[in-house]
Amino acid sequence: MPTTFPIRRIIVAVVLSCAVLVSTTACGGETRSTRSTTQNAALTAAESTPSPSASAQKQKLTKTRFVANAGLAAGAAYQWIIKPYKAGKFKKGAKGRTFALVKAGLAGAFTYNRLKAASENAKGDPLLSKAIAPLSSGIDSLKNLGGKLRKGDANDSDVGMFENVINNVKGAGQKAGAPVKDQVPSAGQLSGG
């Protein structure tokens, strides 16, 4: 039995589509370009005037972003740098050393990236900004440690530096009302930076 297209359904669909299209273009109403200059001025003033709730909302988002970025940094540093180092996985001759060093290098770069993002996020909140400001030099000191870890050149003081900076950032967040909890990033997040 040959199949036939339900022509009635196709015709109904086309007619309804055309009707919707015609009705939306015919009822376009007033556009922004046809408004009077006084209406445009009033709208512009209303759009540019910040409301108190918008500022509070922005600060809340700032803290949320700070907590997320600092938490990911702390989780990556602990999971792939501090914990394996304490377990002896970076020592010459250790089983899986090369893989552990590569992950530590990626985690080091990721941690630095997320801590920089967290310090940028902190600038949007006055209390958080004051708490994080003294830590910026410590965060900057982590810049090249990812490569050092990847090459296997890291020592106790390098790994200790990661741990100290992470603990200081978590403490500053706690004092500013933005407690940070470790969040271990996925492998995709870690390699994506």
Side-chain angles (χ1 to χ4, degrees):
M1 178 180 227
T3 58
T4 60
F5 291 121
I7 295 179
R8 265 193 214 155
R9 288 184 184 170
I10 293 172
I11 292 173
V12 169
V14 170
V15 169
L16 286 176
S17 297
C18 290
V20 169
L21 182 65
V22 169
S23 68
T24 58
T25 56
C27 298
E30 180 182 279
T31 63
R32 187 172 188 120
S33 61
T34 61
R35 291 184 187 139
S36 70
T37 55
T38 56
Q39 286 176 328
N40 282 336
L43 282 173
T44 304
E47 290 170 354
S48 65
T49 305
S51 66
S53 62
S55 179
Q57 186 69 13
K58 186 175 180 182
Q59 281 184 353
K60 185 176 180 181
L61 287 174
T62 296
K63 281 187 176 182
T64 303
R65 288 181 182 139
F66 168 81
V67 168
N69 283 321
L72 285 170
Y78 181 74
Q79 183 70 27
W80 288 298
I81 298 171
I82 298 165
K83 189 174 160 184
Y85 185 80
K86 289 181 177 179
K89 296 220 178 203
F90 297 160
K91 292 182 181 175
K92 290 187 182 195
K95 185 178 179 183
R97 178 178 187 255
T98 304
F99 189 58
L101 288 173
V102 169
K103 285 194 298 187
L106 287 171
F110 180 84
T111 299
Y112 171 75
N113 182 317
R114 293 298 87 207
L115 286 175
K116 288 300 278 185
S119 67
E120 283 298 314
N121 296 139
K123 291 178 182 176
D125 182 72
L127 188 59
L128 200 52
S129 179
K130 286 179 187 177
I132 293 294
L135 303 176
S136 63
S137 63
I139 293 170
D140 289 338
S141 69
L142 300 178
K143 185 174 186 172
N144 297 320
L145 284 181
K148 201 171 184 181
L149 285 165
R150 197 175 9 255
K151 293 176 187 172
D153 296 336
N155 56 32
D156 288 339
S157 66
D158 295 328
V159 174
M161 189 182 307
F162 264 108
E163 194 168 20
N164 288 337
V165 169
I166 293 294
N167 288 336
N168 289 339
V169 168
K170 288 170 76 173
Q174 182 73 30
K175 287 179 187 175
V180 176
K181 295 180 183 166
D182 294 3
Q183 298 175 5
V184 179
S186 68
Q189 289 174 313
L190 189 65
S191 63

